[in-house]
PDB file of all heavy atoms in Angstrom:
ATOM      1  N   GLY A 158      23.474   3.076  -7.740  1.00  0.00           N
ATOM      2  CA  GLY A 158      24.908   2.860  -7.604  1.00  0.00           C
ATOM      3  C   GLY A 158      25.372   1.526  -8.145  1.00  0.00           C
ATOM      4  O   GLY A 158      24.583   0.684  -8.596  1.00  0.00           O
ATOM      5  N   CYS A 159      26.704   1.317  -8.111  1.00  0.00           N
ATOM      6  CA  CYS A 159      27.268   0.075  -8.634  1.00  0.00           C
ATOM      7  C   CYS A 159      28.635  -0.202  -8.016  1.00  0.00           C
ATOM      8  O   CYS A 159      29.419   0.717  -7.820  1.00  0.00           O
ATOM      9  CB  CYS A 159      27.423   0.182 -10.159  1.00  0.00           C
ATOM     10  SG  CYS A 159      27.953  -1.356 -10.914  1.00  0.00           S
ATOM     11  N   ASP A 160      28.864  -1.493  -7.703  1.00  0.00           N
ATOM     12  CA  ASP A 160      30.156  -1.901  -7.116  1.00  0.00           C
ATOM     13  C   ASP A 160      31.086  -2.500  -8.162  1.00  0.00           C
ATOM     14  O   ASP A 160      32.186  -2.943  -7.833  1.00  0.00           O
ATOM     15  CB  ASP A 160      29.910  -2.933  -5.993  1.00  0.00           C
ATOM     16  CG  ASP A 160      29.204  -2.290  -4.795  1.00  0.00           C
ATOM     17  OD1 ASP A 160      29.174  -1.034  -4.746  1.00  0.00           O
ATOM     18  OD2 ASP A 160      28.653  -3.023  -3.951  1.00  0.00           O
ATOM     19  N   TYR A 161      30.600  -2.562  -9.433  1.00  0.00           N
ATOM     20  CA  TYR A 161      31.456  -3.123 -10.471  1.00  0.00           C
ATOM     21  C   TYR A 161      32.496  -2.071 -10.877  1.00  0.00           C
ATOM     22  O   TYR A 161      32.321  -0.880 -10.587  1.00  0.00           O
ATOM     23  CB  TYR A 161      30.629  -3.543 -11.692  1.00  0.00           C
ATOM     24  CG  TYR A 161      29.825  -4.817 -11.491  1.00  0.00           C
ATOM     25  CD1 TYR A 161      29.575  -5.332 -10.216  1.00  0.00           C
ATOM     26  CD2 TYR A 161      29.308  -5.517 -12.582  1.00  0.00           C
ATOM     27  CE1 TYR A 161      28.840  -6.501 -10.041  1.00  0.00           C
ATOM     28  CE2 TYR A 161      28.575  -6.691 -12.417  1.00  0.00           C
ATOM     29  CZ  TYR A 161      28.346  -7.172 -11.135  1.00  0.00           C
ATOM     30  OH  TYR A 161      27.617  -8.329 -10.974  1.00  0.00           O
ATOM     31  N   LYS A 162      33.532  -2.512 -11.590  1.00  0.00           N
ATOM     32  CA  LYS A 162      34.624  -1.575 -11.954  1.00  0.00           C
ATOM     33  C   LYS A 162      34.890  -1.640 -13.464  1.00  0.00           C
ATOM     34  O   LYS A 162      36.043  -1.729 -13.885  1.00  0.00           O
ATOM     35  CB  LYS A 162      35.902  -1.960 -11.187  1.00  0.00           C
ATOM     36  CG  LYS A 162      35.758  -1.944  -9.665  1.00  0.00           C
ATOM     37  CD  LYS A 162      36.254  -0.620  -9.095  1.00  0.00           C
ATOM     38  CE  LYS A 162      36.072  -0.551  -7.564  1.00  0.00           C
ATOM     39  NZ  LYS A 162      34.616  -0.531  -7.160  1.00  0.00           N
ATOM     40  N   CYS A 163      33.834  -1.596 -14.275  1.00  0.00           N
ATOM     41  CA  CYS A 163      34.047  -1.662 -15.716  1.00  0.00           C
ATOM     42  C   CYS A 163      34.944  -0.489 -16.108  1.00  0.00           C
ATOM     43  O   CYS A 163      34.703   0.650 -15.694  1.00  0.00           O
ATOM     44  CB  CYS A 163      32.720  -1.632 -16.466  1.00  0.00           C
ATOM     45  SG  CYS A 163      31.623  -2.971 -15.926  1.00  0.00           S
ATOM     46  N   THR A 164      35.941  -0.775 -16.918  1.00  0.00           N
ATOM     47  CA  THR A 164      37.030   0.193 -17.125  1.00  0.00           C
ATOM     48  C   THR A 164      36.642   1.419 -17.940  1.00  0.00           C
ATOM     49  O   THR A 164      37.404   2.386 -17.990  1.00  0.00           O
ATOM     50  CB  THR A 164      38.219  -0.505 -17.817  1.00  0.00           C
ATOM     51  OG1 THR A 164      37.731  -1.157 -19.006  1.00  0.00           O
ATOM     52  CG2 THR A 164      38.880  -1.518 -16.907  1.00  0.00           C
ATOM     53  N   TYR A 165      35.490   1.414 -18.590  1.00  0.00           N
ATOM     54  CA  TYR A 165      35.068   2.568 -19.405  1.00  0.00           C
ATOM     55  C   TYR A 165      34.009   3.415 -18.697  1.00  0.00           C
ATOM     56  O   TYR A 165      33.584   4.440 -19.223  1.00  0.00           O
ATOM     57  CB  TYR A 165      34.436   2.044 -20.723  1.00  0.00           C
ATOM     58  CG  TYR A 165      33.358   1.023 -20.484  1.00  0.00           C
ATOM     59  CD1 TYR A 165      32.053   1.405 -20.195  1.00  0.00           C
ATOM     60  CD2 TYR A 165      33.647  -0.337 -20.477  1.00  0.00           C
ATOM     61  CE1 TYR A 165      31.073   0.463 -19.927  1.00  0.00           C
ATOM     62  CE2 TYR A 165      32.677  -1.293 -20.229  1.00  0.00           C
ATOM     63  CZ  TYR A 165      31.390  -0.880 -19.961  1.00  0.00           C
ATOM     64  OH  TYR A 165      30.415  -1.815 -19.693  1.00  0.00           O
ATOM     65  N   CYS A 166      33.591   3.022 -17.500  1.00  0.00           N
ATOM     66  CA  CYS A 166      32.345   3.558 -16.941  1.00  0.00           C
ATOM     67  C   CYS A 166      32.561   4.549 -15.800  1.00  0.00           C
ATOM     68  O   CYS A 166      33.361   4.320 -14.908  1.00  0.00           O
ATOM     69  CB  CYS A 166      31.484   2.404 -16.430  1.00  0.00           C
ATOM     70  SG  CYS A 166      29.888   2.941 -15.810  1.00  0.00           S
ATOM     71  N   THR A 167      31.811   5.630 -15.815  1.00  0.00           N
ATOM     72  CA  THR A 167      31.917   6.646 -14.759  1.00  0.00           C
ATOM     73  C   THR A 167      30.766   6.561 -13.764  1.00  0.00           C
ATOM     74  O   THR A 167      30.740   7.291 -12.786  1.00  0.00           O
ATOM     75  CB  THR A 167      31.867   8.068 -15.386  1.00  0.00           C
ATOM     76  OG1 THR A 167      30.674   8.156 -16.170  1.00  0.00           O
ATOM     77  CG2 THR A 167      33.078   8.364 -16.213  1.00  0.00           C
ATOM     78  N   ILE A 168      29.814   5.654 -14.021  1.00  0.00           N
ATOM     79  CA  ILE A 168      28.604   5.655 -13.181  1.00  0.00           C
ATOM     80  C   ILE A 168      28.903   5.432 -11.701  1.00  0.00           C
ATOM     81  O   ILE A 168      28.366   6.140 -10.842  1.00  0.00           O
ATOM     82  CB  ILE A 168      27.561   4.676 -13.740  1.00  0.00           C
ATOM     83  CG1 ILE A 168      27.140   5.115 -15.146  1.00  0.00           C
ATOM     84  CG2 ILE A 168      26.348   4.589 -12.813  1.00  0.00           C
ATOM     85  CD1 ILE A 168      26.234   4.149 -15.871  1.00  0.00           C
ATOM     86  N   PRO A 169      29.784   4.476 -11.332  1.00  0.00           N
ATOM     87  CA  PRO A 169      30.095   4.343  -9.900  1.00  0.00           C
ATOM     88  C   PRO A 169      30.663   5.641  -9.310  1.00  0.00           C
ATOM     89  O   PRO A 169      30.406   5.968  -8.157  1.00  0.00           O
ATOM     90  CB  PRO A 169      31.127   3.217  -9.887  1.00  0.00           C
ATOM     91  CG  PRO A 169      30.844   2.424 -11.118  1.00  0.00           C
ATOM     92  CD  PRO A 169      30.431   3.437 -12.135  1.00  0.00           C
ATOM     93  N   VAL A 203      20.734   1.159 -11.502  1.00  0.00           N
ATOM     94  CA  VAL A 203      22.011   1.169 -12.210  1.00  0.00           C
ATOM     95  C   VAL A 203      22.424  -0.272 -12.517  1.00  0.00           C
ATOM     96  O   VAL A 203      22.771  -0.617 -13.636  1.00  0.00           O
ATOM     97  CB  VAL A 203      23.103   1.855 -11.371  1.00  0.00           C
ATOM     98  CG1 VAL A 203      24.464   1.675 -12.028  1.00  0.00           C
ATOM     99  CG2 VAL A 203      22.795   3.323 -11.170  1.00  0.00           C
ATOM    100  N   ASN A 204      22.364  -1.136 -11.530  1.00  0.00           N
ATOM    101  CA  ASN A 204      22.729  -2.550 -11.661  1.00  0.00           C
ATOM    102  C   ASN A 204      21.667  -3.366 -10.914  1.00  0.00           C
ATOM    103  O   ASN A 204      21.922  -3.922  -9.853  1.00  0.00           O
ATOM    104  CB  ASN A 204      24.126  -2.780 -11.065  1.00  0.00           C
ATOM    105  CG  ASN A 204      24.679  -4.147 -11.437  1.00  0.00           C
ATOM    106  OD1 ASN A 204      23.939  -4.986 -11.971  1.00  0.00           O
ATOM    107  ND2 ASN A 204      25.936  -4.368 -11.140  1.00  0.00           N
ATOM    108  N   GLU A 244      22.482  -7.195 -15.901  1.00  0.00           N
ATOM    109  CA  GLU A 244      23.780  -7.759 -16.270  1.00  0.00           C
ATOM    110  C   GLU A 244      23.639  -9.259 -16.548  1.00  0.00           C
ATOM    111  O   GLU A 244      22.940  -9.966 -15.789  1.00  0.00           O
ATOM    112  CB  GLU A 244      24.784  -7.529 -15.135  1.00  0.00           C
ATOM    113  CG  GLU A 244      25.137  -6.073 -14.915  1.00  0.00           C
ATOM    114  CD  GLU A 244      25.889  -5.498 -16.105  1.00  0.00           C
ATOM    115  OE1 GLU A 244      26.848  -6.132 -16.563  1.00  0.00           O
ATOM    116  OE2 GLU A 244      25.480  -4.437 -16.605  1.00  0.00           O
ATOM    117  N   PRO A 269      23.144  -6.030 -21.241  1.00  0.00           N
ATOM    118  CA  PRO A 269      24.384  -5.439 -21.779  1.00  0.00           C
ATOM    119  C   PRO A 269      25.417  -6.526 -22.103  1.00  0.00           C
ATOM    120  O   PRO A 269      25.681  -7.367 -21.266  1.00  0.00           O
ATOM    121  CB  PRO A 269      24.877  -4.546 -20.633  1.00  0.00           C
ATOM    122  CG  PRO A 269      23.719  -4.381 -19.724  1.00  0.00           C
ATOM    123  CD  PRO A 269      22.881  -5.623 -19.875  1.00  0.00           C
ATOM    124  N   GLN A 271      28.322  -5.549 -24.465  1.00  0.00           N
ATOM    125  CA  GLN A 271      29.438  -4.607 -24.648  1.00  0.00           C
ATOM    126  C   GLN A 271      30.451  -5.076 -25.694  1.00  0.00           C
ATOM    127  O   GLN A 271      30.930  -4.291 -26.472  1.00  0.00           O
ATOM    128  CB  GLN A 271      30.119  -4.247 -23.328  1.00  0.00           C
ATOM    129  CG  GLN A 271      29.189  -3.778 -22.234  1.00  0.00           C
ATOM    130  CD  GLN A 271      28.215  -2.673 -22.609  1.00  0.00           C
ATOM    131  OE1 GLN A 271      27.978  -2.387 -23.795  1.00  0.00           O
ATOM    132  NE2 GLN A 271      27.576  -2.062 -21.632  1.00  0.00           N
ATOM    133  N   MET A 281      37.662  -4.715 -20.547  1.00  0.00           N
ATOM    134  CA  MET A 281      36.563  -3.885 -20.024  1.00  0.00           C
ATOM    135  C   MET A 281      36.275  -4.226 -18.553  1.00  0.00           C
ATOM    136  O   MET A 281      35.519  -3.529 -17.892  1.00  0.00           O
ATOM    137  CB  MET A 281      35.296  -4.126 -20.846  1.00  0.00           C
ATOM    138  CG  MET A 281      35.317  -3.600 -22.258  1.00  0.00           C
ATOM    139  SD  MET A 281      33.828  -4.108 -23.152  1.00  0.00           S
ATOM    140  CE  MET A 281      33.991  -3.129 -24.649  1.00  0.00           C
ATOM    141  N   ARG A 282      36.904  -5.301 -18.093  1.00  0.00           N
ATOM    142  CA  ARG A 282      36.674  -5.822 -16.739  1.00  0.00           C
ATOM    143  C   ARG A 282      35.195  -6.154 -16.505  1.00  0.00           C
ATOM    144  O   ARG A 282      34.617  -5.906 -15.458  1.00  0.00           O
ATOM    145  CB  ARG A 282      37.176  -4.843 -15.678  1.00  0.00           C
ATOM    146  CG  ARG A 282      37.858  -5.569 -14.501  1.00  0.00           C
ATOM    147  CD  ARG A 282      38.387  -4.611 -13.452  1.00  0.00           C
ATOM    148  NE  ARG A 282      39.577  -3.901 -13.925  1.00  0.00           N
ATOM    149  CZ  ARG A 282      39.956  -2.716 -13.431  1.00  0.00           C
ATOM    150  NH1 ARG A 282      39.231  -2.094 -12.518  1.00  0.00           N
ATOM    151  NH2 ARG A 282      41.043  -2.119 -13.890  1.00  0.00           N
ATOM    152  N   ARG A 283      34.590  -6.762 -17.556  1.00  0.00           N
ATOM    153  CA  ARG A 283      33.217  -7.256 -17.416  1.00  0.00           C
ATOM    154  C   ARG A 283      33.281  -8.566 -16.633  1.00  0.00           C
ATOM    155  O   ARG A 283      34.321  -9.197 -16.554  1.00  0.00           O
ATOM    156  CB  ARG A 283      32.579  -7.427 -18.800  1.00  0.00           C
ATOM    157  CG  ARG A 283      32.480  -6.155 -19.574  1.00  0.00           C
ATOM    158  CD  ARG A 283      31.476  -5.186 -18.988  1.00  0.00           C
ATOM    159  NE  ARG A 283      30.117  -5.605 -19.276  1.00  0.00           N
ATOM    160  CZ  ARG A 283      29.046  -5.160 -18.585  1.00  0.00           C
ATOM    161  NH1 ARG A 283      29.200  -4.370 -17.545  1.00  0.00           N
ATOM    162  NH2 ARG A 283      27.838  -5.549 -18.903  1.00  0.00           N
ATOM    163  N   ILE A 311      29.369  -1.825 -27.137  1.00  0.00           N
ATOM    164  CA  ILE A 311      30.251  -0.666 -27.302  1.00  0.00           C
ATOM    165  C   ILE A 311      31.171  -0.914 -28.491  1.00  0.00           C
ATOM    166  O   ILE A 311      31.736  -2.003 -28.619  1.00  0.00           O
ATOM    167  CB  ILE A 311      31.112  -0.459 -26.031  1.00  0.00           C
ATOM    168  CG1 ILE A 311      30.228  -0.108 -24.825  1.00  0.00           C
ATOM    169  CG2 ILE A 311      32.170   0.604 -26.244  1.00  0.00           C
ATOM    170  CD1 ILE A 311      30.990  -0.014 -23.509  1.00  0.00           C
TER     171      ILE A 311
HETATM  172  S1  SF4 B 501      27.980  -2.632 -14.337  1.00  0.00           S
HETATM  173 FE1  SF4 B 501      29.765  -1.652 -15.226  1.00  0.00          FE
HETATM  174  S2  SF4 B 501      28.909  -0.444 -16.918  1.00  0.00           S
HETATM  175 FE2  SF4 B 501      27.225  -0.932 -15.555  1.00  0.00          FE
HETATM  176  S3  SF4 B 501      27.091   0.803 -14.156  1.00  0.00           S
HETATM  177 FE3  SF4 B 501      28.357  -0.747 -13.190  1.00  0.00          FE
HETATM  178  S4  SF4 B 501      30.456  -0.165 -13.706  1.00  0.00           S
HETATM  179 FE4  SF4 B 501      29.082   0.897 -15.135  1.00  0.00          FE
END
Side-chain angles (χ1 to χ4, degrees):
C159 186
D160 292 346
Y161 286 17
K162 301 264 178 294
C163 304
T164 53
Y165 52 84
C166 183
T167 55
I168 298 173
V203 172
N204 192 349
E244 293 294 311
Q271 308 309 16
M281 290 174 171
R282 220 179 287 156
R283 299 291 285 161
I311 295 175

